[in-house]
Amino acid sequence: MESKLPENRRIMEVILDTLQNGEQSISGIAGVLKANDFKMHRIMLSGYLKALVDVGILRERRIKPVTLYSVLKRQDLSIYEITGNTIRTSVNRMDGDLALKLLHSILRRPIFLTEIERCGTKKPMNFETVIWERRKELIKKLSESGIMIPDTDMLVIPRETVNDATVDLLSALIGQLIDLKKYTIPDNDRKQKTLDL
């Protein structure tokens, strides 16, 4: 006996299958849905596609007067987008402290406040400022990856760190999905000093 997928899931599958062949406009996607017996008003389809963009499934590109949609490939996502999307979808809040803990655990280095801003979360509240002798080297490495960090940006670590085997496994998993090397520098005796504020 063949199980039926919920209609929204089937609509999403049709959209994703269509976009595997290249980007499409709303009109193009609406035509494919209609050919597959799905009737969806253009405004509703627009909202549906926007939701898929917001959760990181689709990418939106505007070429006036048309908006084109394509499937967002894993390698297109940055560590900051993944972190921000994960926080928003799992705990449904803009938690900067959680973003700091996640980035610090995954990248295994101090984090610039600008990096947390790129996650789309609030500024963290529970952090310690650190002095790191490799600060300039890290700024240079990040700028080579297109991530501009102001020279005056604070480098911080969470007050409460997460030391857990699960976090290590998740970090390794994320490292297999995206290239983490562009977000950090090789590990050569990472020393850091904490500033008391």
Side-chain angles (χ1 to χ4, degrees):
M1 183 173 176
E2 192 176 323
S3 64
K4 280 190 161 183
L5 289 171
E7 187 163 312
N8 280 344
R9 176 79 184 270
R10 291 189 359 244
I11 289 171
M12 188 170 79
E13 286 187 349
V14 170
I15 291 171
L16 294 177
D17 286 345
T18 302
L19 296 177
Q20 292 297 333
N21 301 322
E23 55 189 0
Q24 290 274 343
S25 66
I26 292 176
S27 299
I29 295 168
V32 171
L33 286 174
K34 188 175 181 181
N36 282 280
D37 297 325
F38 292 109
K39 294 177 184 174
M40 187 180 275
H41 192 276
R42 187 179 170 91
I43 293 172
M44 185 181 235
L45 177 58
S46 177
Y48 190 84
L49 294 171
K50 177 73 174 127
L52 292 175
V53 169
D54 289 345
V55 297
I57 294 172
L58 296 183
R59 172 162 283 185
E60 178 180 69
R61 187 166 70 99
R62 295 171 196 248
I63 302 174
K64 291 187 178 181
V66 178
T67 301
L68 296 173
Y69 294 90
S70 58
V71 176
L72 186 63
K73 301 195 172 36
R74 277 189 221 137
Q75 61 267 28
D76 293 339
L77 289 172
S78 73
I79 187 67
Y80 313 112
E81 290 169 311
I82 289 172
T83 301
N85 289 343
T86 301
I87 290 169
R88 282 187 293 281
T89 56
S90 63
V91 294
N92 200 19
R93 56 191 164 127
M94 308 294 279
D95 192 334
D97 289 313
L98 188 52
L100 174 58
K101 283 181 186 176
L102 283 171
L103 288 175
H104 184 258
S105 297
I106 293 166
L107 298 175
R108 302 172 191 274
R109 64 163 174 81
I111 305 298
F112 287 105
L113 288 179
T114 299
E115 294 180 277
I116 296 165
E117 287 174 19
R118 292 177 78 103
C119 295
T121 60
K122 293 179 182 173
K123 182 179 174 181
M125 304 301 288
N126 297 308
F127 62 84
E128 297 177 16
T129 305
V130 295
I131 296 174
W132 198 34
E133 67 275 358
R134 302 186 76 191
R135 174 190 176 87
K136 288 185 179 178
E137 189 181 345
L138 180 58
I139 289 174
K140 182 180 178 201
K141 175 70 173 183
L142 291 172
S143 72
E144 289 169 359
S145 298
I147 303 158
M148 305 315 291
I149 304 291
D151 289 334
T152 57
D153 199 0
M154 284 198 298
L155 200 54
V156 299
I157 59 171
R159 282 205 175 109
E160 298 172 7
T161 57
V162 181
N163 293 321
D164 185 288
T166 306
V167 174
D168 291 340
L169 289 172
L170 288 172
S171 179
L173 174 67
I174 291 169
Q176 290 178 13
L177 297 175
I178 63 172
D179 182 15
L180 294 178
K181 291 180 200 139
K182 66 182 182 180
Y183 301 105
T184 194
I185 45 183
D187 190 13
N188 297 342
D189 188 30
R190 294 182 176 179
K191 292 181 184 171
Q192 59 194 32
K193 295 179 186 173
T194 303
L195 287 181
D196 293 323
L197 297 177

